[in-house]
Amino acid sequence: MEAISDLANLCQNFVLGEEGTIPKKLAEAISCQQISLLSLVESLGIFLTSAVDENRVRGTRLLSAVLHRLKDAQFQLSRKEVDHFASFYCDRLKDKVLVLPQVLFGLQALVTFQGFSDENVLQVIQGLNKELYVQAHPQAERRIIYTILAYFLSNHLNALRSLNNDFVFGYIKAMEGEKDPRNLIIVFQSILVIIQQLPFDLFVEELFEVTACYFPIDFTPPPNDPFGISREELVLALRKVLSGTSKFSEFCLPLLLDKLSSDLTSAKLDSLRTLTACCPVYGAANLKVYLEPLWYGIRREVYQSGEDEVEEAACESLTCLARTLSRSTTQSGEDSLLEVLFDLIMKDCLRYIKEPEHRLMAQTSKVLLAVARSSVPALYLVLGRLLPLLTTQFNSILTPSQQCGVVQVLTDFLSLLHSMRQSTETPADELYEPLKEHKESILFIIISCTNTESYLLQRHGLCCMTASLLNEGLLDIQEVTHCGQILVSLALDSPSEDIRRESSCGLVTLSSVHPEVCVAAVLPMVMKRVGTSGVQADDGALHTPQLTPSDLPAILLLLNVSVNSLVCQVTLPLCVQYLQHLSEIRTPGEDVIEMTQEIAKQLAAVVQGNVGNKDVLKLFALQFQHLLKICVVGSWADNSCIVADAVLAHLGTALRTYIQNVHNSQKLCNVIVQLFLEGDLTVIECEQPLSSSQHFNPFSSSSGNEQKLIVLLKDCICSQQPEVLADHCPVLLRSSITLALTSEFPTVVESVGKMYAAVINKMVEEREMNSELLDDLQVIWSILSKEEKSVKKERAITALLWLCKGLLMRSHPLGIQNVVKLLELFEDPSVGRLAGERFYLLLKDFPDVLNDACHAVTKLMYKQQFFHQVLPNIMSLFDKAKEGNKSFYLQSVSHICTNVPEQVLLSELPKVLPLLIESLQCSSNEDLIAATLEGVCALVMDTPTSICSYVPSLIPKLLQLAKMGKIMKIRINSLKCIGLLVHLPHHIVYPYQGIVIKGLAECLDDKKRLVRKVAAESRSQWFLLGQSALL
């Protein structure tokens, strides 16, 4: 660094108005000891003592700026230097207002040096108190003063304590009348330290008054506020002050009660939340005097506010108040403060409890629950008085609607007991003590409700029963078993769907909390309802029942309660047996196929619901091998329901869920791969029937139903990690592409296409992959280039699209190359339509393949790259295309727009939007119209301004589609899009209000209810167009 040759000239240049980097140069020179701080002060001396105000300002500014630079560089001043600077700056506090900002700026840096002592602190505070009236200065200067004082409170508390009450008095004088939110944040934080660390007994009321005058905070930050001060920050900072000490209680509680009566919701909420924060700090002794007015204020907000947020805040305040009172101690023979409060509450609530149908019964329940959840003593107190009243009321009233109110309150308290047990360490026996005396009465109420003919009362009774079952240890085994019997009966026999659903939920709870009772009592009851038998033979083996579709509810119930390993040990083998029995039916009807499908679907739900339970997943893996055997045997039959597409899809979902949620699925996957790729039936302990001479070979084009089982292999392969597939990739690729081009089953073609894409995407060996790819692509293109049957070309198109998807996600160059080549097929009438319709495969996300859960290799922004590389080719070919083929290009554009990120689409919107609008004119291509409508709806919601110029042509076309579309989905999407148009600028859409309202009137007579519903909603929006502006 160049030496500072002429210090005096630099100082003079700065004082004369030159800014530049002079402070930086001087600070660096001092840090490197090229010059001393003393020499800088000597050079500035003539300016610091000048009679010219501007010279003193500039001189002080340079000195202060250098101090800030030294502070940032962590340069330390000596104790002597700090003393001299402190004396200088404190003396300069007497200077004119013009100089003062630079003085405060220097002090702000000086106080942060390590050498700044407690004596210096007292010197600065004395100077500030004596020489400055803070509120007479601008905001920036006041902020510096508050920052300096806040620093003292954080780092020099002992010095401030030595001032006793003088510092507090000075601070009150400094902050009184402050209005700027940026300063108030610092002030509130400082006052919190004062009331917690410093003596202020002489000024308790004064300190409270200068702070509480800001309550409640009424501040709305200006738009684009660079300081980022929010109302919430101010509210929380002030709340911490008001609740910071119990000495404020005699002043704060009347203030809160006064503000609680405000008409402003924000003031009510702030008062209630501040009361919640104050209660534990103020203590029971200070709250005692205000119990009655506090209860009346809270009661008013719970019963009369009508706003959920206010009710919730009021109940929370009541809970905190009761919790604080429950911790208080009283002299012998006196009622506790908690009992005093509860007497006040019961005096007002008793009449509503005695009138369960009263509209305020729900609010009364909230009040009592708020008190009960505060503490265990409060829970005892509430339940001790409430339960006798509830049982008496239930037995004395006759109408079910009134009884429902009583049962609902009981349910709420049983649920509260469960939540308190989860959140406290109180033993269950102690927590349930208030219920022991009344348990028989409670059970009588619950069972009476479940036996009634009123569905409404039954539902309340079932909810209450479920809540009681949640509380483990409340009911004994016999009582739980009795509840299980009732629930099973209602779940299977009730004519009401709601009752069956509630009963099923109750059984799920019973299974979760009492699995032993479920296995020992509930499951046998359900099993007896399945088929003609459900008992064990003399040899101990379980006979397979003769199933009929009427057994489906019981079977589904068995699976529905399978929420833990103990229950799954029984239900999963039963499920497999039921599927085996159904698969052996030679001529299954539609009802049998539907039954099999529902069981498979529920089995998948069991696996998905137990993804965190390793024991259940192990049980599933074991049973899935039996399922494989059933599927293989079923594939040899002519009409087995087990090979139905929907059944295999659900079994595949269960398998995929298992693989994705276990650490090591290698064993089961080896079984599946060995079975499908090698035809080894021994891995599933299955033998080929004597009548068949062939082996299990699902990849053979003549294998018939065996091919359908490829769905299971697909879910196994697509869910595996890349390293697991390494040894099987070549065989899988060759087998998949062959079957994809020859299979007669559409689901098989789709499955092997997905499997091929997954293998290509995850393949580690690039050279081996390229070799296989080139061969397979040659085969596919040879089919597409010949005059083959359209069916063969359709299979080749599907295989090519999946292959390209796997490559695109890993950004392989062959992906884009083949997509561009694929676009030329739009001119081929035999496959152009299919290529356009299925173009979405390239970008759409699928739950069963090529996603993060399936360990796909996904390069960053591959969709964006595809968009920018492919879209120009589509638009170029579109301009040259024949009129009859243009719809295929438009369909591809619609699919791209629907599946790329919004930010990418916006950059090319001027080019893309005209094509989308033109797509709506292709009345012959319904798939294109459906895809385009989805894209247009997304644009209207996300970028409404982009669509404005197309409104004149868009509205008539949308109205036409809404009235004449052949497909319900098209009519609904058109109506939704019309409804969204009202969010465009008013002057754009208002001229069309009459046309749209008249056009939508015809849609109100549509034959489909869903269409009529959307039409009514859209028409209402157009009726209200412009009304919000008038309001």
Side-chain angles (χ1 to χ4, degrees):
M1 185 184 70
E2 297 182 359
I4 302 295
S5 58
D6 194 346
L7 179 60
N9 283 339
L10 283 176
C11 294
Q12 184 175 4
N13 290 340
F14 186 89
V15 172
L16 293 177
E18 180 183 338
E19 290 287 343
T21 59
I22 292 176
K24 181 180 179 181
K25 289 180 179 179
L26 292 174
E28 290 176 350
I30 294 171
S31 298
C32 297
Q33 298 182 348
Q34 291 184 4
I35 62 173
S36 66
L37 194 58
L38 177 61
S39 62
L40 173 63
V41 174
E42 290 174 348
S43 299
L44 283 172
I46 188 174
F47 304 111
L48 296 175
T49 58
S50 173
V52 180
D53 294 343
E54 184 60 29
N55 288 347
R56 294 201 310 279
V57 171
R58 299 289 296 178
T60 308
R61 179 175 180 177
L62 177 57
L63 184 60
S64 299
V66 170
L67 283 178
H68 270 276
R69 294 279 183 179
L70 293 175
K71 178 198 71 171
D72 295 338
Q74 297 183 346
F75 181 83
Q76 295 302 324
L77 304 181
S78 66
R79 176 70 180 273
K80 187 176 181 181
E81 289 173 327
V82 170
D83 288 340
H84 283 307
F85 277 114
S87 298
F88 167 75
Y89 277 113
C90 287
D91 181 66
R92 282 293 178 268
L93 290 173
K94 305 173 184 177
D95 210 333
K96 292 185 178 180
V97 175
L98 191 66
V99 184
L100 191 61
Q102 309 308 324
V103 175
L104 292 174
F105 183 59
L107 268 178
Q108 186 180 17
L110 181 64
V111 298
T112 61
F113 285 97
Q114 289 184 0
F116 200 85
S117 65
D118 287 352
E119 290 76 12
N120 300 134
V121 171
L122 298 177
Q123 184 181 7
V124 170
I125 290 177
Q126 183 179 4
L128 291 174
N129 288 339
K130 182 178 180 181
E131 306 299 339
L132 298 183
Y133 176 60
V134 177
Q135 291 303 314
H137 295 275
Q139 181 272 333
E141 296 173 26
R142 301 200 307 273
R143 183 176 179 83
I144 293 176
I145 295 172
Y146 296 139
T147 302
I148 292 172
L149 296 177
Y151 185 83
F152 290 164
L153 285 166
S154 299
N155 299 277
H156 296 281
L157 267 176
N158 289 331
L160 302 183
R161 288 192 180 104
S162 66
L163 294 173
N164 294 320
N165 289 283
D166 292 344
F167 175 77
V168 179
F169 175 74
Y171 200 91
I172 292 173
K173 185 175 70 171
M175 67 148 291
E176 188 173 12
E178 181 59 58
K179 296 179 181 180
D180 192 278
R182 294 165 290 181
N183 293 345
L184 285 174
I185 285 287
I186 303 173
V187 167
F188 292 155
Q189 293 169 348
S190 298
I191 292 180
L192 181 61
V193 178
I194 291 173
I195 62 179
Q196 291 178 343
Q197 302 293 338
L198 298 179
F200 66 103
D201 293 344
L202 294 180
F203 302 104
V204 173
E205 185 173 1
E206 289 79 0
L207 188 58
F208 174 80
E209 290 296 336
V210 296
T211 308
C213 64
Y214 300 103
F215 184 87
I217 295 290
D218 182 18
F219 168 66
T220 303
N224 303 318
D225 180 17
F227 302 99
I229 303 296
S230 66
R231 178 182 179 276
E232 288 70 25
E233 288 180 288
L234 289 168
V235 167
L236 291 176
L238 178 57
R239 186 174 299 157
K240 288 179 181 179
V241 173
L242 296 180
S243 63
T245 174
S246 60
K247 296 176 182 179
F248 284 166
S249 60
E250 63 176 306
F251 312 110
C252 187
L253 291 174
L255 172 68
L256 295 179
L257 288 169
D258 178 59
K259 299 301 181 183
L260 197 55
S261 60
S262 170
D263 293 332
L264 297 175
T265 300
S266 59
K268 292 176 182 288
L269 287 171
D270 206 358
S271 300
L272 289 167
R273 289 166 180 166
T274 303
L275 176 60
T276 301
C278 291
C279 283
V281 179
Y282 291 177
N286 292 314
L287 293 168
K288 179 180 179 180
V289 182
Y290 299 95
L291 283 185
E292 190 168 349
L294 283 174
W295 158 240
Y296 291 153
I298 292 172
R299 180 190 65 182
R300 182 175 61 251
E301 302 310 321
V302 175
Y303 282 100
Q304 299 176 14
S305 71
E307 299 184 42
D308 293 340
E309 193 176 9
V310 175
E311 282 186 20
E312 184 179 346
C315 289
E316 183 61 30
S317 297
L318 183 58
T319 298
C320 202
L321 176 62
R323 184 181 295 121
T324 303
L325 297 180
S326 65
R327 295 170 182 163
S328 65
T329 56
T330 57
Q331 296 181 359
S332 178
E334 292 184 2
D335 288 341
S336 68
L337 293 178
L338 179 63
E339 291 176 332
V340 173
L341 173 65
F342 190 63
D343 286 340
L344 289 171
I345 294 172
M346 285 301 293
K347 182 179 179 181
D348 292 321
C349 294
L350 189 61
R351 56 175 176 153
Y352 302 128
I353 297 175
K354 292 183 177 180
E355 299 177 26
E357 208 173 7
H358 198 284
R359 62 183 180 86
L360 296 179
M361 181 63 174
Q363 276 70 19
T364 300
S365 177
K366 290 179 182 180
V367 167
L368 296 176
L369 285 168
V371 176
R373 70 165 57 94
S374 64
S375 64
V376 175
L379 178 70
Y380 279 31
L381 185 61
V382 175
L383 290 180
R385 298 198 193 179
L386 181 63
L387 289 178
L389 284 172
L390 291 178
T391 53
T392 301
Q393 286 300 113
F394 184 85
N395 294 323
S396 62
I397 56 184
L398 300 177
T399 63
S401 59
Q402 291 177 319
Q403 290 177 326
C404 285
V406 174
V407 177
Q408 184 60 54
V409 175
L410 190 57
T411 303
D412 292 340
F413 274 92
L414 288 171
S415 300
L416 173 64
L417 280 171
H418 173 67
S419 62
M420 289 184 68
R421 184 176 178 188
Q422 300 295 316
S423 58
T424 65
E425 298 179 355
T426 307
D429 291 342
E430 182 179 343
L431 201 60
Y432 299 147
E433 183 65 31
L435 293 178
K436 289 182 179 178
E437 182 181 350
H438 306 281
K439 189 169 74 169
E440 291 185 4
S441 300
I442 294 172
L443 278 175
F444 172 77
I445 292 174
I446 293 173
I447 295 172
S448 298
C449 292
T450 57
N451 291 331
T452 186
E453 295 180 356
S454 169
Y455 288 153
L456 181 62
L457 187 55
Q458 266 192 348
R459 285 189 62 186
H460 279 79
L462 288 170
C463 291
C464 192
M465 181 179 289
T466 302
S468 65
L469 290 171
L470 268 176
N471 291 280
E472 185 178 3
L474 177 61
L475 305 180
D476 59 34
I477 293 179
Q478 291 182 345
E479 292 165 342
V480 173
T481 302
H482 189 197
C483 289
Q485 292 171 345
I486 295 172
L487 291 171
V488 169
S489 177
L490 290 174
L492 297 178
D493 299 330
S494 176
S496 169
E497 182 179 352
D498 290 339
I499 298 300
R500 295 197 300 271
R501 183 170 55 250
E502 290 290 347
S503 301
S504 181
C505 291
L507 286 170
V508 171
T509 301
L510 188 151
S511 178
S512 302
V513 182
H514 309 279
E516 298 86 357
V517 177
C518 184
V519 172
V522 174
L523 294 185
M525 291 170 57
V526 181
M527 289 160 58
K528 289 179 181 179
R529 307 288 291 270
V530 179
T532 58
S533 66
V535 297
Q536 290 184 340
D538 294 337
D539 59 0
L542 184 66
H543 282 191
T544 303
Q546 300 299 315
L547 300 180
T548 62
S550 61
D551 297 320
L552 180 61
I555 297 174
L556 295 181
L557 185 60
L558 284 173
L559 291 171
N560 197 34
V561 299
S562 302
V563 293
N564 52 63
S565 57
L566 195 62
V567 177
C568 285
Q569 285 178 358
V570 179
T571 57
L572 289 186
L574 277 174
C575 176
V576 173
Q577 288 184 27
Y578 296 150
L579 288 174
Q580 180 177 2
H581 169 75
L582 293 170
S583 71
E584 293 171 353
I585 298 177
R586 293 185 178 181
T587 55
E590 288 294 330
D591 52 354
V592 173
I593 296 175
E594 183 179 348
M595 181 178 182
T596 309
Q597 178 182 338
E598 289 296 324
I599 295 174
K601 180 181 178 180
Q602 192 62 36
L603 176 61
V606 170
V607 180
Q608 291 170 334
N610 288 278
V611 292
N613 193 324
K614 294 181 180 179
D615 293 332
V616 173
L617 295 179
K618 288 180 181 178
L619 286 170
F620 170 76
L622 182 63
Q623 294 302 320
F624 194 80
Q625 296 187 44
H626 299 313
L627 281 173
L628 281 175
K629 179 178 178 180
I630 295 170
C631 291
V632 170
V633 174
S635 69
W636 295 331
D638 292 333
N639 298 307
S640 177
C641 57
I642 200 68
V643 294
D645 292 340
V647 174
L648 292 174
H650 291 310
L651 295 180
T653 299
L655 174 62
R656 183 173 67 251
T657 304
Y658 164 77
I659 294 174
Q660 292 174 354
N661 290 280
V662 295
H663 180 67
N664 186 1
S665 60
Q666 188 73 46
K667 183 178 179 181
L668 179 58
C669 291
N670 285 341
V671 170
I672 295 172
V673 171
Q674 201 169 344
L675 171 66
F676 280 88
L677 296 186
E678 301 176 14
D680 186 359
L681 297 172
T682 60
V683 294
I684 56 172
E685 300 177 358
C686 180
E687 296 181 358
Q688 193 78 2
L690 296 175
S691 59
S692 177
S693 59
Q694 65 177 4
H695 295 286
F696 179 69
N697 187 11
F699 284 99
S700 171
S701 58
S702 60
S703 58
N705 285 334
E706 291 179 9
Q707 289 185 21
K708 294 184 177 182
L709 303 188
I710 293 292
V711 173
L712 303 179
L713 178 63
K714 177 264 297 183
D715 283 300
C716 174
I717 297 300
C718 292
S719 303
Q720 279 294 355
Q721 298 183 8
E723 56 270 17
V724 178
L725 299 177
D727 296 336
H728 308 294
C729 286
V731 179
L732 283 168
L733 289 178
R734 287 193 295 272
S735 303
S736 298
I737 197 63
T738 301
L739 191 58
L741 298 175
T742 58
S743 178
E744 298 178 357
F745 301 107
T747 54
V748 175
V749 174
E750 193 79 10
S751 295
V752 291
K754 290 180 178 180
M755 187 162 56
Y756 189 95
V759 175
I760 283 292
N761 177 262
K762 300 177 188 179
M763 207 165 176
V764 179
E765 292 293 333
E766 189 87 10
R767 184 180 302 175
E768 184 180 11
M769 181 186 72
N770 289 337
S771 176
E772 294 286 346
L773 266 177
L774 293 174
D775 292 341
D776 294 341
L777 285 170
Q778 185 177 358
V779 173
I780 292 173
W781 284 112
S782 66
I783 295 175
L784 293 174
S785 61
K786 294 178 182 178
E787 293 295 333
E788 297 281 358
K789 295 181 179 179
S790 60
V791 176
K792 291 185 178 180
K793 287 191 174 184
E794 289 176 2
R795 297 188 197 122
I797 286 289
T798 301
L800 179 62
L801 286 167
W802 279 112
L803 184 152
C804 290
K805 183 178 180 67
L807 294 174
L808 288 170
M809 292 185 67
R810 62 182 297 169
S811 296
H812 195 286
L814 284 176
I816 291 293
Q817 292 175 20
N818 283 275
V819 170
V820 173
K821 192 175 179 181
L822 173 68
L823 296 177
E824 299 174 2
L825 294 178
F826 288 171
E827 294 299 318
D828 183 347
S830 62
V831 293
R833 183 183 183 89
L834 179 65
E837 289 175 357
R838 310 217 75 189
F839 205 77
Y840 71 91
L841 293 177
L842 296 171
L843 293 176
K844 185 177 179 180
D845 298 323
F846 293 87
D848 60 336
V849 65
L850 296 177
N851 54 53
D852 292 339
C854 292
H855 312 289
V857 177
T858 306
K859 295 296 183 180
L860 189 64
M861 299 177 71
Y862 84 93
K863 290 186 178 182
Q864 289 88 327
Q865 294 174 7
F866 178 90
F867 180 84
H868 290 297
Q869 292 176 355
V870 175
L871 186 64
N873 288 279
I874 295 177
M875 300 184 72
S876 175
L877 292 171
F878 173 78
D879 294 334
K880 304 173 185 177
K882 298 177 182 178
E883 194 63 34
N885 297 332
K886 285 192 172 185
S887 64
F888 307 148
Y889 295 94
L890 294 173
Q891 195 160 18
S892 66
V893 172
S894 296
H895 289 314
I896 291 175
C897 294
T898 306
N899 291 289
V900 296
E902 175 190 333
Q903 295 81 359
V904 183
L905 183 59
L906 291 178
S907 62
E908 299 292 334
L909 201 56
K911 299 178 183 178
V912 173
L913 199 53
L915 294 179
L916 292 177
I917 302 299
E918 187 173 346
S919 300
L920 296 177
Q921 310 298 328
C922 300
S923 56
S924 60
N925 194 330
E926 294 170 345
D927 293 330
L928 170 60
I929 293 175
T932 304
L933 284 172
E934 292 181 7
V936 173
C937 285
L939 287 175
V940 175
M941 286 189 292
D942 299 332
T943 58
T945 54
S946 65
I947 211 87
C948 289
S949 58
Y950 298 93
V951 168
S953 59
L954 189 58
I955 286 181
K957 186 58 185 177
L958 290 174
L959 285 173
Q960 181 185 354
L961 291 173
K963 291 184 285 185
M964 302 176 62
K966 297 179 182 179
I967 301 176
M968 183 176 69
K969 182 179 179 182
I970 291 179
R971 301 201 299 276
I972 289 177
N973 284 344
S974 300
L975 291 167
K976 286 182 178 178
C977 195
I978 292 172
L980 291 172
L981 290 177
V982 298
H983 300 295
L984 299 181
H986 184 267
H987 69 281
I988 298 292
V989 294
Y990 183 73
Y992 302 94
Q993 186 182 37
I995 299 173
V996 173
I997 291 174
K998 183 178 179 181
L1000 292 179
E1002 299 180 33
C1003 300
L1004 298 176
D1005 294 327
D1006 195 280
K1007 60 183 178 180
K1008 294 293 185 179
R1009 181 184 63 83
L1010 293 177
V1011 177
R1012 298 195 299 271
K1013 179 182 177 183
V1014 179
E1017 293 173 354
S1018 297
R1019 194 163 184 257
S1020 298
Q1021 290 175 328
W1022 277 86
F1023 264 119
L1024 296 174
L1025 184 64
Q1027 296 299 314
S1028 58
L1030 294 175
L1031 295 175

